[in-house]
Amino acid sequence: MTSQRTTRPTALVTGASAGIGHEFARQLAARGHDLVLVARDRARLDAVAAELTSRYAVTAEVLVADLSDRSALQTVADRVADPERPVDVLVNNAGYGQRRSFLRNDVAVEEAAFDVLTRAVLVLSHAAGVAMRGRGRGHIVNVSSVAGFIASGSYSAAKAWVTTFSEGLASELAGSGVTVTALCPGFTNTEFQQRAGISKPGPDFMWLDPTKLVSDCLEDVDKGRVLSVPGLQYKAIVGLLRVAPRSVIRRRARLVRR
Protein backbone atom coordinates (compact mmCIF):
# COMPACT_ATOMS: atom_id res chain seq x y z
CA MET A 1 0.00 0.00 0.00
CA THR A 2 1.26 3.49 -0.77
CA SER A 3 0.50 6.80 0.87
CA GLN A 4 0.52 10.50 0.28
CA ARG A 5 3.34 12.43 1.81
CA THR A 6 2.75 13.53 5.41
CA THR A 7 4.69 15.61 7.90
CA ARG A 8 5.60 12.49 9.86
CA PRO A 9 9.13 11.08 9.57
CA THR A 10 9.56 7.90 7.55
CA ALA A 11 11.52 4.78 8.49
CA LEU A 12 12.55 2.06 6.02
CA VAL A 13 13.16 -1.34 7.60
CA THR A 14 14.57 -4.35 5.73
CA GLY A 15 13.66 -7.82 6.94
CA ALA A 16 10.54 -6.24 8.42
CA SER A 17 8.24 -9.25 8.20
CA ALA A 18 9.49 -10.99 11.36
CA GLY A 19 11.82 -10.92 14.34
CA ILE A 20 13.97 -7.90 15.11
CA GLY A 21 12.91 -6.14 11.91
CA HIS A 22 9.23 -6.46 12.78
CA GLU A 23 9.95 -5.10 16.24
CA PHE A 24 11.84 -2.12 14.81
CA ALA A 25 8.86 -1.39 12.55
CA ARG A 26 6.44 -1.65 15.46
CA GLN A 27 8.41 0.61 17.78
CA LEU A 28 9.13 3.18 15.09
CA ALA A 29 5.42 3.25 14.25
CA ALA A 30 4.69 3.77 17.95
CA ARG A 31 7.05 6.75 17.81
CA GLY A 32 4.98 8.21 14.97
CA HIS A 33 7.02 7.16 11.94
CA ASP A 34 5.43 6.22 8.65
CA LEU A 35 6.98 3.02 7.32
CA VAL A 36 8.49 1.42 4.26
CA LEU A 37 8.53 -2.33 4.93
CA VAL A 38 10.96 -4.46 2.92
CA ALA A 39 11.16 -8.26 2.75
CA ARG A 40 10.67 -11.14 0.31
CA ASP A 41 7.27 -12.39 1.50
CA ARG A 42 4.42 -10.14 0.33
CA ALA A 43 1.75 -11.91 2.38
CA ARG A 44 3.68 -11.43 5.62
CA LEU A 45 4.56 -7.83 4.75
CA ASP A 46 0.92 -7.04 4.01
CA ALA A 47 -0.06 -8.52 7.36
CA VAL A 48 2.53 -6.42 9.21
CA ALA A 49 1.48 -3.29 7.32
CA ALA A 50 -2.19 -3.88 8.18
CA GLU A 51 -1.36 -4.52 11.83
CA LEU A 52 0.75 -1.39 12.27
CA THR A 53 -1.47 1.00 10.31
CA SER A 54 -4.49 -0.13 12.31
CA ARG A 55 -2.73 0.02 15.67
CA TYR A 56 -0.71 3.23 15.31
CA ALA A 57 -2.55 5.21 12.61
CA VAL A 58 0.58 5.51 10.46
CA THR A 59 0.96 4.72 6.78
CA ALA A 60 2.93 1.72 5.59
CA GLU A 61 4.36 1.12 2.14
CA VAL A 62 5.16 -2.48 1.21
CA LEU A 63 8.23 -3.07 -0.93
CA VAL A 64 8.81 -6.71 -1.86
CA ALA A 65 12.47 -7.38 -2.65
CA ASP A 66 15.02 -10.17 -2.44
CA LEU A 67 18.13 -8.21 -1.43
CA SER A 68 20.44 -10.86 -2.88
CA ASP A 69 19.17 -9.76 -6.30
CA ARG A 70 21.07 -6.66 -7.46
CA SER A 71 18.19 -5.17 -9.45
CA ALA A 72 15.76 -5.63 -6.55
CA LEU A 73 18.31 -4.10 -4.20
CA GLN A 74 18.60 -1.10 -6.52
CA THR A 75 14.85 -0.62 -6.36
CA VAL A 76 15.10 -0.33 -2.58
CA ALA A 77 18.13 1.98 -2.85
CA ASP A 78 16.20 4.23 -5.23
CA ARG A 79 13.37 4.42 -2.69
CA VAL A 80 15.83 5.33 0.07
CA ALA A 81 17.33 8.08 -2.09
CA ASP A 82 14.03 9.52 -3.38
CA PRO A 83 14.12 13.25 -2.54
CA GLU A 84 10.34 13.56 -2.92
CA ARG A 85 9.71 10.90 -0.29
CA PRO A 86 12.60 11.23 2.16
CA VAL A 87 13.58 8.36 4.44
CA ASP A 88 14.59 9.68 7.86
CA VAL A 89 15.56 6.35 9.45
CA LEU A 90 17.09 3.36 7.64
CA VAL A 91 17.25 0.04 9.47
CA ASN A 92 19.40 -2.53 7.64
CA ASN A 93 18.14 -5.63 9.38
CA ALA A 94 17.64 -8.27 6.66
CA GLY A 95 19.75 -11.37 7.11
CA TYR A 96 19.80 -15.03 8.00
CA GLY A 97 22.09 -17.70 9.38
CA GLN A 98 23.05 -21.02 7.85
CA ARG A 99 23.12 -24.51 9.22
CA ARG A 100 26.13 -25.77 7.27
CA SER A 101 29.70 -24.63 7.82
CA PHE A 102 31.41 -22.69 5.04
CA LEU A 103 33.18 -25.57 3.28
CA ARG A 104 30.19 -27.90 3.61
CA ASN A 105 27.89 -25.33 2.02
CA ASP A 106 27.29 -24.65 -1.65
CA VAL A 107 29.21 -21.55 -2.71
CA ALA A 108 26.13 -20.09 -4.43
CA VAL A 109 24.28 -20.21 -1.11
CA GLU A 110 27.23 -18.50 0.56
CA GLU A 111 27.29 -15.80 -2.11
CA ALA A 112 23.58 -15.07 -1.69
CA ALA A 113 23.98 -14.73 2.07
CA PHE A 114 27.05 -12.52 1.58
CA ASP A 115 25.04 -10.25 -0.73
CA VAL A 116 22.25 -9.82 1.81
CA LEU A 117 24.49 -9.43 4.86
CA THR A 118 27.09 -7.09 3.37
CA ARG A 119 26.40 -5.77 -0.14
CA ALA A 120 22.85 -4.73 0.72
CA VAL A 121 24.11 -2.88 3.80
CA LEU A 122 26.74 -1.10 1.71
CA VAL A 123 24.39 -0.10 -1.12
CA LEU A 124 21.52 1.07 1.09
CA SER A 125 23.82 2.88 3.53
CA HIS A 126 25.39 4.74 0.61
CA ALA A 127 21.98 5.80 -0.71
CA ALA A 128 20.83 6.87 2.74
CA GLY A 129 24.10 8.56 3.71
CA VAL A 130 24.19 10.76 0.61
CA ALA A 131 20.50 11.72 0.86
CA MET A 132 20.52 12.29 4.62
CA ARG A 133 23.75 14.30 4.60
CA GLY A 134 22.22 16.55 1.94
CA ARG A 135 19.26 17.22 4.27
CA GLY A 136 21.44 17.52 7.37
CA ARG A 137 19.58 14.90 9.39
CA GLY A 138 18.83 11.19 9.59
CA HIS A 139 19.70 7.91 11.26
CA ILE A 140 21.17 4.67 9.88
CA VAL A 141 20.94 1.50 11.98
CA ASN A 142 22.89 -1.53 10.77
CA VAL A 143 22.01 -4.75 12.57
CA SER A 144 25.27 -6.57 13.19
CA SER A 145 25.96 -9.21 15.86
CA VAL A 146 28.15 -10.18 18.78
CA ALA A 147 29.25 -12.94 16.37
CA GLY A 148 31.25 -10.27 14.56
CA PHE A 149 33.68 -10.12 17.49
CA ILE A 150 34.55 -13.83 17.25
CA ALA A 151 36.00 -16.04 14.51
CA SER A 152 33.28 -18.43 13.41
CA GLY A 153 32.63 -18.79 9.71
CA SER A 154 31.28 -16.53 7.01
CA TYR A 155 28.36 -15.19 9.08
CA SER A 156 30.77 -14.03 11.77
CA ALA A 157 33.01 -12.44 9.13
CA ALA A 158 30.07 -10.64 7.49
CA LYS A 159 28.94 -9.20 10.80
CA ALA A 160 32.49 -8.08 11.61
CA TRP A 161 32.40 -6.17 8.32
CA VAL A 162 29.04 -4.58 9.19
CA THR A 163 30.35 -3.33 12.54
CA THR A 164 33.59 -1.92 11.14
CA PHE A 165 31.82 -0.43 8.14
CA SER A 166 29.30 1.29 10.42
CA GLU A 167 32.06 2.75 12.58
CA GLY A 168 33.80 4.11 9.50
CA LEU A 169 30.61 5.58 8.07
CA ALA A 170 29.79 7.18 11.43
CA SER A 171 33.18 8.91 11.35
CA GLU A 172 32.62 10.11 7.79
CA LEU A 173 29.22 11.56 8.72
CA ALA A 174 30.32 13.10 12.04
CA GLY A 175 29.03 16.64 12.38
CA SER A 176 26.60 16.28 9.46
CA GLY A 177 23.46 15.70 11.55
CA VAL A 178 23.37 12.04 10.44
CA THR A 179 24.11 9.24 12.90
CA VAL A 180 25.11 5.63 12.27
CA THR A 181 24.61 2.88 14.86
CA ALA A 182 25.71 -0.74 14.65
CA LEU A 183 23.41 -2.94 16.74
CA CYS A 184 25.30 -6.00 18.01
CA PRO A 185 22.89 -8.42 19.72
CA GLY A 186 23.61 -11.89 20.96
CA PHE A 187 21.07 -14.73 21.08
CA THR A 188 17.59 -13.23 20.66
CA ASN A 189 14.18 -14.88 21.01
CA THR A 190 13.02 -14.72 17.38
CA GLU A 191 12.54 -17.31 14.64
CA PHE A 192 16.14 -16.82 13.44
CA GLN A 193 17.39 -20.21 14.66
CA GLN A 194 14.30 -22.02 13.43
CA ARG A 195 14.61 -20.57 9.93
CA ALA A 196 18.31 -21.41 9.84
CA GLY A 197 17.58 -25.00 10.91
CA ILE A 198 19.82 -24.84 13.98
CA SER A 199 19.09 -25.68 17.61
CA LYS A 200 18.66 -23.09 20.36
CA PRO A 201 22.06 -22.97 22.09
CA GLY A 202 23.10 -21.61 25.47
CA PRO A 203 21.31 -21.13 28.82
CA ASP A 204 18.10 -19.10 29.07
CA PHE A 205 19.78 -16.06 30.66
CA MET A 206 21.78 -15.55 27.45
CA TRP A 207 18.63 -14.98 25.40
CA LEU A 208 17.46 -11.42 24.79
CA ASP A 209 13.91 -10.13 24.52
CA PRO A 210 13.49 -8.43 21.12
CA THR A 211 11.21 -5.71 22.54
CA LYS A 212 13.81 -4.62 25.10
CA LEU A 213 16.62 -5.06 22.56
CA VAL A 214 15.05 -2.67 20.04
CA SER A 215 13.98 -0.20 22.73
CA ASP A 216 17.55 -0.03 24.07
CA CYS A 217 18.93 0.35 20.54
CA LEU A 218 16.61 3.25 19.72
CA GLU A 219 17.70 4.96 22.93
CA ASP A 220 21.31 4.55 21.80
CA VAL A 221 20.36 5.98 18.40
CA ASP A 222 18.78 8.98 20.14
CA LYS A 223 22.07 9.51 21.99
CA GLY A 224 24.14 9.19 18.82
CA ARG A 225 25.99 6.09 19.96
CA VAL A 226 27.89 4.22 17.26
CA LEU A 227 27.80 0.80 18.94
CA SER A 228 24.72 -0.60 20.65
CA VAL A 229 25.26 -3.86 22.54
CA PRO A 230 22.05 -4.91 24.33
CA GLY A 231 22.15 -6.80 27.61
CA LEU A 232 24.66 -6.60 30.44
CA GLN A 233 25.82 -10.14 29.68
CA TYR A 234 26.74 -9.22 26.11
CA LYS A 235 28.28 -5.90 27.08
CA ALA A 236 30.63 -7.89 29.33
CA ILE A 237 31.33 -10.50 26.64
CA VAL A 238 32.08 -7.89 23.97
CA GLY A 239 34.32 -6.02 26.40
CA LEU A 240 36.34 -9.19 26.95
CA LEU A 241 36.43 -10.11 23.27
CA ARG A 242 37.81 -6.70 22.31
CA VAL A 243 40.86 -7.14 24.57
CA ALA A 244 41.39 -10.90 24.33
CA PRO A 245 44.23 -12.17 22.07
CA ARG A 246 42.88 -13.33 18.72
CA SER A 247 44.63 -16.68 19.17
CA VAL A 248 42.47 -17.31 22.26
CA ILE A 249 39.32 -16.31 20.38
CA ARG A 250 40.18 -18.68 17.51
CA ARG A 251 40.77 -21.59 19.89
CA ARG A 252 37.46 -20.95 21.63
CA ALA A 253 35.65 -20.80 18.28
CA ARG A 254 37.10 -24.20 17.31
CA LEU A 255 35.77 -25.71 20.54
CA VAL A 256 32.31 -24.25 19.94
CA ARG A 257 32.19 -25.63 16.38
CA ARG A 258 33.07 -29.09 17.65
Side-chain angles (χ1 to χ4, degrees):
M1 62 187 74
T2 57
S3 64
Q4 295 182 349
R5 187 176 177 182
T6 71
T7 57
R8 288 190 295 263
T10 297
L12 186 148
V13 183
T14 70
S17 61
I20 291 174
H22 183 188
E23 187 59 31
F24 264 112
R26 188 191 69 78
Q27 291 195 29
L28 287 164
R31 286 179 166 218
H33 288 69
D34 286 335
L35 301 168
V36 182
L37 306 173
V38 181
R40 293 178 296 177
D41 189 324
R42 176 174 291 278
R44 295 186 73 170
L45 281 180
D46 285 342
V48 172
E51 168 204 345
L52 298 180
T53 54
S54 173
R55 185 171 180 181
Y56 298 107
V58 298
T59 60
E61 175 185 346
V62 166
L63 189 51
V64 178
D66 179 351
L67 298 182
S68 68
D69 180 276
R70 187 62 181 85
S71 62
L73 174 59
Q74 189 59 49
T75 298
V76 181
D78 291 342
R79 177 62 185 87
V80 171
D82 187 346
E84 298 301 317
R85 299 179 295 164
V87 169
D88 303 278
V89 181
L90 167 66
V91 181
N92 277 312
N93 166 77
Y96 53 92
Q98 300 187 71
R99 183 177 184 179
R100 293 177 179 271
S101 63
F102 177 67
L103 295 180
R104 292 174 181 265
N105 217 359
D106 187 275
V107 71
V109 175
E110 290 285 343
E111 284 184 293
F114 183 83
D115 287 342
V116 173
L117 294 172
T118 59
R119 185 178 67 179
V121 172
L122 183 147
V123 171
L124 298 183
S125 294
H126 187 276
V130 170
M132 291 176 180
R133 182 171 61 183
R135 295 192 298 269
R137 66 185 185 278
H139 305 288
I140 299 171
V141 180
N142 293 327
V143 179
S144 186
S145 173
V146 168
F149 296 96
I150 62 176
S152 183
S154 56
Y155 180 84
S156 173
K159 291 303 186 180
W161 182 90
V162 170
T163 300
T164 302
F165 169 76
S166 300
E167 290 178 305
L169 183 57
S171 296
E172 185 172 352
L173 289 170
S176 69
V178 183
T179 69
V180 182
T181 301
L183 169 61
C184 301
F187 298 139
T188 306
N189 281 307
T190 68
E191 59 187 59
F192 180 89
Q193 276 73 28
Q194 178 184 350
R195 295 180 73 173
I198 55 180
S199 61
K200 183 176 177 179
D204 287 344
F205 76 88
M206 295 300 293
W207 287 81
L208 299 169
D209 171 57
T211 301
K212 181 71 163 57
L213 181 157
V214 170
S215 176
D216 288 350
C217 177
L218 290 176
E219 288 183 10
D220 286 340
V221 171
D222 291 339
K223 295 172 183 175
R225 289 179 175 162
V226 177
L227 288 181
S228 178
V229 181
L232 292 176
Q233 65 276 50
Y234 288 109
K235 285 180 171 64
I237 289 170
V238 168
L240 290 172
L241 289 172
R242 298 187 87 173
V243 299
R246 295 299 294 178
S247 59
V248 173
I249 293 172
R250 289 193 297 272
R251 284 199 298 272
R252 180 62 180 170
R254 286 197 295 270
L255 290 174
V256 170
R257 281 198 299 272
R258 290 170 185 166

